[in-house]
Amino acid sequence: MKQNNPQFYISRLGLAPHPEGGYFKRTFHSSENISDSELTVNFDEKRKLYTSIYFLLTSKDISHFHRLKSDELWYFHAGSPLTIHTIDESGNYNEYKLGLKLDNGEVPQVLVPKNTIFGSSVMEEDTFSLVGCMVSPGFEFIDFELFTQSELLKDYPQHEDIIKKMAYKVIPE
């Protein structure tokens, strides 16, 4: 299997399907915990200081709009560039190009601030992107919100086109 094939990375890195789309594997996590009393975020329990995953997305899939209570730092590893679509807490839409073609406006790292609604899509057809994502305070599924189109359109009708592209009509079970 060749390195330009997403199956190469999925099998070699042991990636599994992710609920938002794509494939992932938790790779690292802090051995230390933090509580919400030390932060401006309300958690039900303590969290790791950070967690990190591999995340692979093919051009046939998208990472659907979701939100975390923590900052998420994205790192480009391999494949094609990735667009990270965001709606910030003020309702502004932005997109960031994650990749290594700096002359094309891509950057190798992107920060998605806590409470930002975001998703991602591969920029080139018939390919994939392999990235790393570090979440701090550490990721827990209890802090993960996945959105439907109707939920987002109620609050952000001005972003209808991107919401219809990046959010589920109905969240799959």
Side-chain angles (χ1 to χ4, degrees):
M1 220 178 298
K2 296 184 179 182
Q3 290 186 9
N4 63 353
N5 180 331
Q7 249 346 101
F8 172 83
Y9 292 99
I10 292 167
S11 64
R12 293 283 173 101
L13 296 174
L15 307 181
H18 196 290
E20 77 195 45
Y23 301 86
F24 82 110
K25 178 181 180 182
R26 187 175 270 195
T27 53
F28 299 102
H29 64 273
S30 170
S31 61
E32 296 184 64
N33 292 313
I34 193 164
S35 71
D36 62 357
S37 64
E38 296 141 317
L39 304 167
T40 60
V41 177
N42 291 321
F43 293 120
D44 291 334
E45 304 167 3
K46 289 186 176 186
R47 296 289 179 271
K48 300 282 186 192
L49 283 177
Y50 68 86
T51 55
S52 184
I53 65 168
Y54 287 127
F55 182 65
L56 184 141
L57 195 63
T58 70
S59 55
K60 295 177 181 154
D61 299 309
I62 61 170
S63 167
H64 292 83
F65 271 143
H66 60 286
R67 178 170 51 202
L68 302 178
K69 290 184 178 180
S70 300
D71 291 343
E72 183 166 7
L73 191 55
W74 291 59
Y75 303 92
F76 182 80
H77 290 309
S80 295
L82 186 78
T83 300
I84 301 171
H85 307 269
T86 67
I87 301 174
D88 66 23
E89 289 187 273
S90 298
N92 300 308
Y93 171 77
N94 289 294
E95 61 181 42
Y96 303 92
K97 304 207 180 306
L98 187 66
L100 299 177
K101 298 172 188 159
L102 304 181
D103 290 339
N104 290 346
E106 298 169 16
V107 293
Q109 296 180 16
V110 171
L111 175 67
V112 176
K114 66 182 177 184
N115 299 320
T116 298
I117 296 166
F118 67 104
S120 58
S121 58
V122 177
M123 293 171 54
E124 298 173 7
E125 290 185 28
D126 299 321
T127 187
F128 69 96
S129 294
L130 175 65
V131 300
C133 300
M134 190 206 57
V135 177
S136 179
F139 177 84
E140 293 292 337
F141 272 105
I142 193 169
D143 303 325
F144 176 82
E145 290 180 85
L146 197 54
F147 295 97
T148 63
Q149 292 176 7
S150 61
E151 289 172 318
L152 293 176
L153 287 170
K154 183 174 46 175
D155 293 331
Y156 310 105
Q158 71 274 30
H159 304 308
E160 180 177 2
D161 290 344
I162 196 65
I163 287 170
K164 286 188 172 180
K165 177 183 176 186
M166 299 300 300
Y168 282 113
K169 286 185 179 181
V170 176
I171 296 175
E173 292 189 29

